[in-house]
Amino acid sequence: MFKFFWAPETASLAPMAVLEEVGAEYEAILIDYEGRQQKSADYLALNPCGLIPAMTLPDGRTMFEAAAIVMHLCDLYPAAHLAPPPGDPDRPLFYQWMLYLADSPQPTYRRYYYPDRFAADEDDVRKRGVDALLDEFAIVEGALSHGEWLLGNRFSACDIYLHMLTTWFEPPEALYARFPNIARVAAGVEDRPASARAIARHRP
Ligand SMILES: N[C@@H](CCC(=O)N[C@@H](CS)C(=O)NCC(=O)O)C(=O)O
C-alpha cells in the first residue's frame, strides 16, 4: 500500500494517473497547497524539498519527484504496459521523453507560476517563461508528427506526463490550438478511464 501526497492542479496529477492506470492500492492524502502545508515540518520530514507530490513506499520510506514516482510505478507494474521494459528498443526513448518533460518544460513553468523567485520584473520573467515553454513544446510537437504517441505507436507514461504539463498552460486551449499533435495526445489521455479518474480529482 502506498501513501500518496497530492494537491489539485499540481505535479501530483501524472503519478496519480499512473497509480490509477496500474491499479495500485494507495491512500491519497490531500495536502493544503494554498495553506502551504507542503512547507510544514511534518511534510518536510517526508519531502525536504517542500514540493508536491511525495509517495510513501510499502517499506515506510518516502520518495519525491513526480517523474521518479511515475517511472518506479511503471517498473513495478509491467503488466500495465506503461513503459517499454529494459532492453526493449523503445526503452531509451522512454527515458529521453520522461527526462525531457521533467527537466525542460516542467521547471520552465516555475518561471510562470513563481516569477518573484527569479527577478523583480515578474511580468518579464513570466513572458520569457511562456516563450521558453512554446519552444520546448514545439520540440514535442515535432516528435509527435512521426507517430500517435511520444513512443510512436505505443502509449506510455510519457504521454500521461505530457498531458499533465499541458493542463498548466494558461489557458490549455491556446496550447492545443497551436500544437494539434500535443492536443491529440492530451485528448487521448483524457479518454482513458483510469487516467480520467485522476484528472477529475485534480480539476478544481
Ligand atoms: N521536481 C518536482 C517539482 C514539484 C513541484 O514543483 N511541485 C509544486 C506544485 S506543481 C509545488 O509543490 N510547489 C510549491 C513551491 O514551489 O513552493 C517534482 O516533479 O516532483
Side-chain angles (χ1 to χ4, degrees):
M1 172 80 140
F2 300 105
K3 277 189 190 169
F4 184 66
F5 299 87
W6 75 289
E9 299 184 284
T10 68
S12 56
L13 172 55
M16 187 185 274
V18 171
L19 281 162
E20 291 288 333
E21 289 276 349
V22 302
E25 255 191 82
Y26 70 101
E27 181 188 354
I29 298 165
L30 182 61
I31 298 298
D32 177 7
Y33 175 81
E34 297 301 333
R36 295 177 56 80
Q37 193 186 346
Q38 69 275 17
K39 307 296 183 199
S40 68
D42 282 354
Y43 189 81
L44 288 173
L46 296 170
N47 180 353
C49 308
L51 300 172
I52 299 168
M55 186 172 83
T56 303
L57 302 165
D59 69 4
R61 290 180 298 172
T62 298
M63 69 182 294
F64 50 87
E65 286 298 326
I69 295 171
V70 164
M71 292 195 286
H72 176 59
L73 291 170
C74 290
D75 287 348
L76 267 189
Y77 296 89
H81 299 294
L82 290 181
D88 186 290
D90 286 339
R91 183 77 172 185
L93 292 183
F94 173 73
Y95 287 134
Q96 172 194 293
W97 285 118
M98 284 302 304
L99 271 287
Y100 178 75
L101 294 172
D103 272 2
S104 293
Q106 185 176 349
T108 301
Y109 271 114
R110 297 184 73 78
R111 294 196 238 163
Y112 184 82
Y113 284 106
Y114 310 108
D116 55 304
R117 297 183 190 175
F118 292 86
D121 186 344
E122 295 185 23
D123 288 344
D124 189 48
V125 172
R126 264 210 190 94
K127 189 197 162 303
R128 287 171 193 246
V130 172
D131 290 347
L133 277 172
L134 292 174
D135 287 347
E136 289 159 351
F137 279 122
I139 289 172
V140 178
E141 178 73 4
L144 284 169
S145 62
H146 307 299
E148 191 180 356
W149 308 105
L150 273 169
L151 300 188
N153 294 329
R154 185 175 202 162
F155 180 78
S156 76
C158 303
D159 303 302
I160 294 175
Y161 214 87
L162 172 59
H163 165 272
M164 172 179 79
L165 297 180
T166 69
T167 65
W168 299 345
F169 202 86
E170 288 197 326
E173 291 73 24
L175 188 73
Y176 299 148
R178 190 176 181 118
F179 298 126
N181 296 329
I182 291 178
R184 184 190 70 237
V185 169
V189 173
E190 303 230 351
D191 278 349
R192 293 174 67 90
S195 288
R197 286 196 291 278
I199 294 165
R201 288 184 87 169
H202 274 75
R203 290 229 155 98

